[in-house]
Amino acid sequence: MSETIKVPTMAEYMAAGKSPEVLFWVGCAGSFDDRAKKITKAFVKLLHNANVDFAVLGTEESCTGDPAKRAGNEFLFQMQAIPNIEVLNGYEIKKIVTACPHCFNTIKNEYPGLGGTYEVMHHTQFLKTLLNEGRLKVEGGKFKGKRITFHDPCYLGRANGEYEAPRELLQKLEVELVEMKRCKTRGLCCGAGGAQMFKEPEPGNKDINIQRTEEALETKPDVIAAGCPFCNTMMSDGVKGKEKENEIAVLDVAEMIANASDL
């Protein structure tokens, strides 16, 4: 990847007296985690490809406070959320898109109570909108006919009732979509939510991500598709634990769309 794609900041837009169509909230994982950065890059390529006028907050973006809140530290959550809301309101942001269901859920459902009300979309919802509007083309390419199983992120699916957007995008890739026994409203957590991502497993005979990976492997997939950087990490670790990383890829839906058409 030699080409560089310019990602403008809100500060630059403000200086030019312009406002973007949408703010892309990158999130901690998408900014700092090496694996999740690839998802960020893939999504940015898709935004460019669809000629979406977007900006990021850059260094003005801080953690939404999701892990603190889920771990029970309401005080820390508000300390993290309020400065973010002040920045967003200062830029008069109306519409936000993010590739992290945790950021999505927190900004959408928790921020209004602290004075931050925005239209918030998960990246699969936004990509589906671009597809419906004819701004984005999604075609089979290298995933055509491949067996794919989609793992529902808790904060996209059960917490916010969105099951169709990621699946519709995958079907446009002309894949064979195979559902796990536990999917959609009965989906099983990857084990990373509620700040569990950042702690060691508790005593027991099996980690949640291993259980979930086994359920995915039962579908005999070529690719396990995800829509969340945390899920991506947990499922990747599970696949590695089963020594199947050379046979089965774990990819975000955005990466699959970007890879299919070699953006």
Side-chain angles (χ1 to χ4, degrees), residues 22-26 43 47 52 54-55 95-100 104 119-127:
V22 67
L23 173 83
F24 172 30
W25 184 278
V26 184
F43 183 56
L47 292 177
V52 176
F54 74 100
K95 190 171 179 177
I96 298 172
V97 62
T98 179
C100 175
F104 164 72
E119 181 192 350
V120 190
M121 298 180 88
H122 183 252
H123 71 316
T124 57
Q125 295 175 322
F126 190 66
L127 291 170

Side-chain angles (χ1 to χ4, degrees), residues 55-262:
V56 298
L57 287 177
T59 53
E60 292 186 277
E61 180 187 302
S62 176
C63 178
T64 58
D66 163 77
K69 187 171 182 80
R70 302 294 159 235
N73 193 335
E74 180 65 24
F75 179 64
L76 179 58
F77 163 68
Q78 292 197 18
M79 276 175 66
Q80 291 178 303
I82 289 164
N84 281 330
I85 291 168
E86 284 171 356
V87 168
L88 291 167
N89 290 350
Y91 284 128
E92 297 180 355
I93 298 295
K94 304 279 184 285
K95 190 171 179 177
I96 298 172
V97 62
T98 179
C100 175
H102 294 260
C103 299
F104 164 72
N105 178 68
T106 302
I107 300 172
K108 179 174 179 275
N109 299 321
E110 315 281 4
Y111 277 23
L114 296 170
T117 306
Y118 321 98
E119 181 192 350
V120 190
M121 298 180 88
H122 183 252
H123 71 316
T124 57
Q125 295 175 322
F126 190 66
L127 291 170
K128 183 178 158 239
T129 307
L130 294 176
L131 183 75
N132 294 348
E133 290 170 359
R135 295 167 71 184
L136 182 72
K137 207 158 141 244
V138 180
E139 52 200 25
K142 65 177 73 161
F143 296 109
K144 191 170 179 171
K146 291 268 186 1
R147 281 175 74 86
I148 315 288
T149 193
F150 178 69
H151 164 74
D152 287 286
C154 295
Y155 281 112
L156 182 64
R158 291 179 304 169
N160 287 288
E162 178 62 79
Y163 301 103
E164 295 317 312
R167 286 175 171 83
E168 279 184 39
L169 291 167
L170 289 170
Q171 274 158 346
K172 282 279 187 287
L173 290 172
E174 299 172 60
V175 304
E176 185 188 347
L177 192 59
V178 209
E179 295 290 0
M180 289 181 243
K181 286 198 181 77
R182 287 196 266 194
C183 64
K184 301 187 180 177
T185 52
R186 295 184 60 251
L188 178 69
C189 175
C190 72
Q196 301 288 319
M197 179 81 167
F198 309 106
K199 56 181 272 301
E200 290 305 310
E202 286 161 38
N205 59 13
K206 190 186 286 185
D207 290 353
I208 294 282
N209 66 315
I210 299 295
Q211 174 66 38
R212 188 55 170 165
T213 303
E214 285 170 359
E215 292 180 11
L217 296 180
E218 275 175 24
T219 68
K220 300 196 167 34
D222 296 305
V223 179
I224 299 171
C228 168
F230 285 12
C231 298
N232 198 305
T233 297
M234 299 303 267
M235 300 304 280
S236 296
D237 285 354
V239 169
K240 279 183 193 136
K242 296 286 177 190
E243 298 183 344
K244 297 254 195 251
E245 68 267 34
N246 295 327
E247 302 153 49
I248 299 166
V250 179
L251 292 168
D252 188 87
V253 175
E255 291 181 298
M256 291 180 69
I257 298 168
N259 291 351
S261 44
D262 283 324

